[in-house]
Amino acid sequence: MRKALISDEPIASSRDAVLMEVRPENVQHMGKEQLFQLQQRLGYGDCWGRFVAPQEWMPPGHAQHLSTRSAAFEDRLSSLGVRGEILGEAVLVLTRLAIVFALIPGHSRRGFVYWKPNTLLRGMKYLIGVVGASALKVNRRPGWFFEGYSLEDLAMSQSPQKIGPLLMRVCQLVERGLWSDRPRFDPLDMDEKSRHSDDIRSTAESKQRPYLPLPDDFVAAAGWRLAWVTTHLGRALLDVAREFHQISVELPHVLPDTSSRLRIKRLREIRRNDFLSSYIWRDASGAPINQLPFELDITGIGGARERDFVWPPVTGTQVVALAKLLQVAHLFIFLMSVGSRISEALSLRPGCVVLSADGVPLANGRTYKLCPVIGGEVRDWPIPRLALEALRQQEDLVQVLGELGPLGGDTHDFDAEDAESLWVQVGSPGKAFKGDENVAIQNAIDALGLTESLGGIPITTHRFRKTIARLVALALIGAPKILMDLFGHKSIEMTLHYILSNPAIRMEMEEVAKAQTIMLAENAISQVDANGGPAAKRLAIAVQRERARLGSDFGANNVRELAETLTLSGRHWMYVRPGVICTKGAQEVGPCNKQVSVPEPSRCRWSCEHRLEEAALKDDVDRAIADALHHYAEEKAADNEIMLEYWAGQLLAHVRRFDSLHDRWRQNPLIADLLAKEGVVS
């Protein structure tokens, strides 16, 4: 049974109960009363003309807003100009289709899977436009809307790339006998038209580029500032918040009349301001923070509007603004550490940080997008030291803010287990972020004066994920597999598309690869006398000739020029394993590949004339020889011929990798005997 059919899910249980009584092919003929009952039984609300998913079915964040988890068929069609009897017909058709979608799995690249509620509602919102466009046509058959939707309508729509696959799904229902109202064009033509429509809009869409990686300059500038806020300002802010809480405890709102409450509120403000006037802010080392190491303007953030901000803070509203900045710092560090989706970050709860069996800190949360299970699947993310500090400090911040309550209101009991999320709306304890995290981050960036370094593109949480993808792709060997595991992708193709969908990243990867190859060659040239492998002699001859040609002028620039020449400007030479370089050129062959093509690392041999061993590998090889010699002597004493041959092969392979090691180890009688048997002159 497929994972999507797990019976203990609320939505699956409701669906299974309906399917026990209703044949899906009959839904397209049902009237309003029957459809309304099915809508309610499937859990999509009790308002006709509007499908609403329960809040607990949706991932954390903006998806839990009513506008996101609902599809208002009647209201939206009315805004499109559909009126009267036709409006009732259109709502009826959309409700039928939504119920069929909810009951029947559709074919996708992952096989037949059920749509999750957010996918269903998002799709129905696009199909409202399809039905609305057909409803306004004069020659439409009553009750039939999709057959009147043409390729021209698709091309003129705002989102042909979104509507196309949805119409394909409708066609699949028709082919399975579950729906009758079919678009009047072939799905293959639809794909071609959709691609054409995408081309028409490609220029306009490319200008938006909502999910470009964050600029390097911005990451560098914002990173160290927010790391400083986390490391040095966080604990002091928590101490101040705790003192504010104590003041609220000592001055509770016990009198019901307005004048008394206002008087208590004013007394609290005076006590807090007096405390701030004498408080000494200290960094992590205990030294006083006389001024911030960067410009900061929190005026207008967190209610801090009464005066321009000058360090140190002197009012409670300025402390609130700094608390908002601190939470953004924690979120920034976490997103830049793991590249999670925002729904996954918002799934973290107080106490989410644990240690693995081998001592690696993990953040436990949930993943939603590629998971068919309602409520997501449990997963964890390994986190570095700074992210660990940020998450643990965020737990303390949530606790303190919950105990403090609104600055102007009463303090109240707070249990960390009651918190909806690790990330809360500062000043509204217990309320988690729901789509406003981008605003909070942008406000913090504005306060730091770094908005211009974003290059005119607003910051969003998904840009952190794109930034991680870019940095890993540029910096790490085996990046696709690393990103596949980190991002929770189901296939390597998904990860490759994620990396290569941006042409700028592809170009950067090529440039970085060329630069790394040239640096590889420069390093080999600078240590030409210490390298090993058959290619070391060829490289030494090339360097010797270049030195002879240039004489005493041979310097760093000449080393780079020679490296570019030998590698054809970084297009050849490659690492085949740690410390081992293949220097094969474009028109050369080798034992690993008899054809003129790229090297095959898995078949690299020590005897290949293109193999170059880096000098840094010599110590490892030396110890490997010593270890192999020890085992060879043991097996020789035990007269174990099979293992004796194995260790003999290891010795012969390693001892000839570096000339200096060969000259030293051939003095050993056992190795000298092996070399003699192989016909190697010792």
Side-chain angles (χ1 to χ4, degrees):
M1 181 175 290
R2 292 185 178 276
K3 194 171 187 179
L5 301 178
I6 295 176
S7 60
D8 60 352
E9 299 177 30
I11 189 171
S13 300
S14 302
R15 180 175 60 233
D16 293 344
V18 170
L19 288 172
M20 292 292 289
E21 304 175 14
V22 176
R23 295 179 63 87
E25 59 268 28
N26 295 333
V27 173
Q28 60 181 316
H29 306 299
M30 289 182 177
K32 176 179 177 180
E33 184 177 344
Q34 288 176 293
L35 293 172
F36 191 37
Q37 290 178 358
L38 292 182
Q39 174 184 333
Q40 291 174 308
R41 292 179 63 184
L42 289 170
Y44 283 98
D46 54 3
C47 179
W48 175 254
R50 178 189 293 266
F51 257 49
V52 182
Q55 197 169 3
E56 58 269 20
W57 287 5
M58 310 298 280
H62 69 88
Q64 295 196 355
H65 278 299
L66 180 60
S67 60
T68 304
R69 57 185 176 89
S70 63
F73 303 150
E74 189 169 5
D75 293 345
R76 179 59 181 149
L77 287 169
S78 297
S79 69
L80 293 175
V82 183
R83 299 284 187 273
E85 184 179 346
I86 299 178
L87 175 61
E89 291 180 1
V91 171
L92 202 66
V93 168
L94 286 168
T95 304
R96 289 168 179 167
L97 187 58
I99 291 174
V100 174
F101 281 158
L103 293 176
I104 299 299
H107 181 69
S108 69
R109 287 177 295 180
R110 293 181 286 144
F112 282 91
V113 296
Y114 287 108
W115 271 356
K116 290 187 290 185
N118 52 339
T119 305
L120 170 63
L121 294 170
R122 185 168 57 247
M124 292 310 302
K125 289 177 181 179
Y126 285 113
L127 291 178
I128 291 173
V130 173
V131 172
S134 295
L136 298 176
K137 294 186 176 182
V138 178
N139 58 349
R140 179 188 56 82
R141 281 200 294 169
W144 295 70
F145 293 90
F146 289 95
E147 71 168 11
Y149 195 76
S150 64
L151 278 171
E152 289 70 23
D153 293 325
L154 178 65
M156 294 175 62
S157 67
Q158 294 297 317
S159 304
Q161 71 280 8
K162 301 290 187 181
I163 296 174
L166 293 169
L167 294 180
M168 179 73 79
R169 181 78 183 268
V170 174
C171 291
Q172 291 174 356
L173 294 178
V174 174
E175 293 168 357
R176 297 166 65 182
L178 302 171
W179 195 254
S180 301
D181 190 3
R182 179 189 180 108
R184 66 173 190 225
F185 48 86
D186 188 86
L188 295 178
D189 295 335
M190 179 182 63
D191 283 348
E192 181 179 352
K193 194 71 174 181
S194 296
R195 288 194 296 270
H196 177 66
S197 300
D198 287 346
D199 292 340
I200 293 175
R201 293 184 174 83
S202 61
T203 302
E205 291 178 355
S206 64
K207 292 180 180 179
Q208 298 176 4
R209 295 175 297 181
Y211 297 131
L212 287 180
L214 295 168
D216 290 338
D217 291 344
F218 168 78
V219 174
W224 78 263
R225 287 170 170 81
L226 294 175
W228 188 92
V229 168
T230 297
T231 304
H232 295 288
L233 195 58
R235 288 298 155 188
L237 265 174
L238 292 174
D239 291 341
V240 171
R242 291 188 182 99
E243 180 62 28
F244 279 13
H245 171 246
Q246 184 60 35
I247 292 173
S248 297
V249 170
E250 295 172 359
L251 294 171
H253 283 159
V254 294
L255 300 176
D257 59 282
T258 303
S259 60
S260 298
R261 294 178 66 86
L262 291 176
R263 188 164 56 253
I264 294 296
K265 180 181 177 181
R266 180 56 183 161
L267 287 174
R268 286 180 176 179
E269 291 178 357
I270 293 173
R271 287 275 300 275
R272 287 166 178 160
N273 293 346
D274 289 343
F275 168 76
L276 287 174
S277 65
S278 60
Y279 182 75
I280 300 177
W281 295 79
R282 298 184 183 276
D283 62 18
S285 66
I289 305 175
N290 297 319
Q291 62 180 14
L292 299 178
F294 47 80
E295 296 292 328
L296 180 65
D297 183 9
I298 58 174
T299 304
I301 300 178
R305 299 182 178 88
E306 69 277 7
R307 64 184 71 188
D308 293 337
F309 177 71
V310 178
W311 182 263
V314 293
T315 66
T317 50
Q318 291 179 346
V319 171
V320 170
L322 290 175
K324 290 188 174 185
L325 178 65
L326 178 62
Q327 178 167 241
V328 168
H330 296 158
L331 183 59
F332 184 101
I333 291 169
F334 178 75
L335 292 176
M336 282 300 300
S337 299
V338 304
S340 67
R341 301 179 183 90
I342 187 57
S343 61
E344 295 166 341
L346 295 182
S347 73
L348 300 182
R349 298 289 185 268
C352 64
V353 178
V354 298
L355 295 179
S356 66
D358 53 357
V360 176
L362 303 172
N364 287 329
R366 306 187 79 85
T367 185
Y368 301 89
K369 184 171 183 179
L370 301 178
C371 168
V373 180
I374 300 302
E377 288 180 338
V378 176
R379 71 157 291 180
D380 53 43
W381 292 267
I383 51 177
R385 181 197 60 79
L386 184 58
L388 173 64
E389 178 183 343
L391 288 185
R392 287 183 169 166
Q393 189 164 266
Q394 179 64 21
E395 292 179 354
D396 294 340
L397 180 63
V398 171
Q399 177 73 26
V400 171
L401 292 174
E403 293 173 345
L404 179 61
L407 276 179
D410 283 318
T411 184
H412 58 279
D413 294 333
F414 177 79
D415 187 347
E417 294 181 355
D418 295 332
E420 294 181 7
S421 174
L422 188 64
W423 316 100
V424 299
Q425 299 177 26
V426 176
S428 301
K431 293 185 179 181
F433 277 139
K434 291 183 180 178
D436 42 9
E437 55 278 352
N438 288 333
V439 175
I441 295 175
Q442 186 63 61
N443 287 340
I445 299 308
D446 292 341
L448 292 170
L450 299 177
T451 303
E452 290 187 3
S453 60
L454 285 170
I457 303 176
I459 191 169
T460 65
T461 54
H462 202 68
R463 293 186 68 185
F464 289 86
R465 190 170 169 88
K466 290 288 187 177
T467 304
I468 291 291
R470 171 180 172 269
L471 294 177
V472 172
L474 295 179
L476 299 181
I477 298 173
K481 185 63 174 68
I482 294 171
L483 286 173
M484 179 181 170
D485 294 339
L486 181 65
F487 286 172
H489 288 165
K490 301 300 183 182
S491 66
I492 197 67
E493 291 81 8
M494 186 183 300
T495 307
L496 289 173
H497 178 267
Y498 207 88
I499 299 173
L500 302 177
S501 59
N502 188 338
I505 293 181
R506 292 202 302 270
M507 294 176 60
E508 277 191 284
M509 290 174 65
E510 293 175 0
E511 292 301 318
V512 168
K514 291 178 181 179
Q516 288 178 333
T517 300
I518 293 173
M519 290 174 59
L520 198 68
E522 286 182 295
N523 183 62
I525 292 171
S526 64
Q527 302 186 62
V528 65
D529 297 327
N531 294 325
K537 295 183 177 64
R538 298 170 57 189
L539 178 63
I541 292 173
V543 173
Q544 184 179 8
R545 289 175 177 173
E546 190 69 8
R547 281 176 173 165
R549 185 177 70 86
L550 295 172
S552 60
D553 295 331
F554 187 79
N557 291 335
N558 304 112
V559 170
R560 182 170 182 84
E561 291 174 1
L562 179 58
E564 292 178 350
T565 301
L566 294 174
T567 62
L568 294 181
S569 298
R571 288 190 291 272
H572 298 283
W573 285 35
M574 67 173 288
Y575 256 134
V576 294
R577 63 193 59 174
V580 178
I581 304 169
C582 179
T583 63
K584 189 169 79 70
Q587 301 300 318
E588 295 178 307
V589 299
C592 68
N593 198 326
K594 297 299 182 181
Q595 298 178 349
V596 177
S597 62
V598 296
E600 175 52 59
S602 64
R603 301 178 62 187
C604 183
R605 303 179 185 178
W606 66 267
S607 58
C608 176
E609 64 178 357
H610 304 298
R611 176 162 167 154
L612 181 70
E613 313 251 5
E614 289 187 304
L617 205 61
K618 185 185 295 184
D619 183 59
D620 290 344
V621 174
D622 190 26
R623 284 183 289 175
I625 294 172
D627 186 62
L629 184 62
H630 171 74
H631 288 289
Y632 179 81
E634 286 184 342
E635 301 300 342
K636 186 177 181 67
D639 198 23
N640 187 344
E641 293 186 6
I642 295 178
M643 293 305 299
L644 194 65
E645 287 297 322
Y646 171 79
W647 289 112
Q650 292 292 309
L651 284 170
L652 289 173
H654 289 310
V655 78
R656 287 176 282 194
R657 292 174 67 179
F658 288 89
D659 288 344
S660 59
L661 295 181
H662 175 267
D663 294 340
R664 178 160 60 84
W665 280 104
R666 70 181 182 180
Q667 307 301 323
N668 184 283
L670 292 177
I671 294 180
D673 183 56
L674 285 175
L675 293 172
K677 290 179 180 179
E678 285 289 308
V680 179
V681 178
S682 58

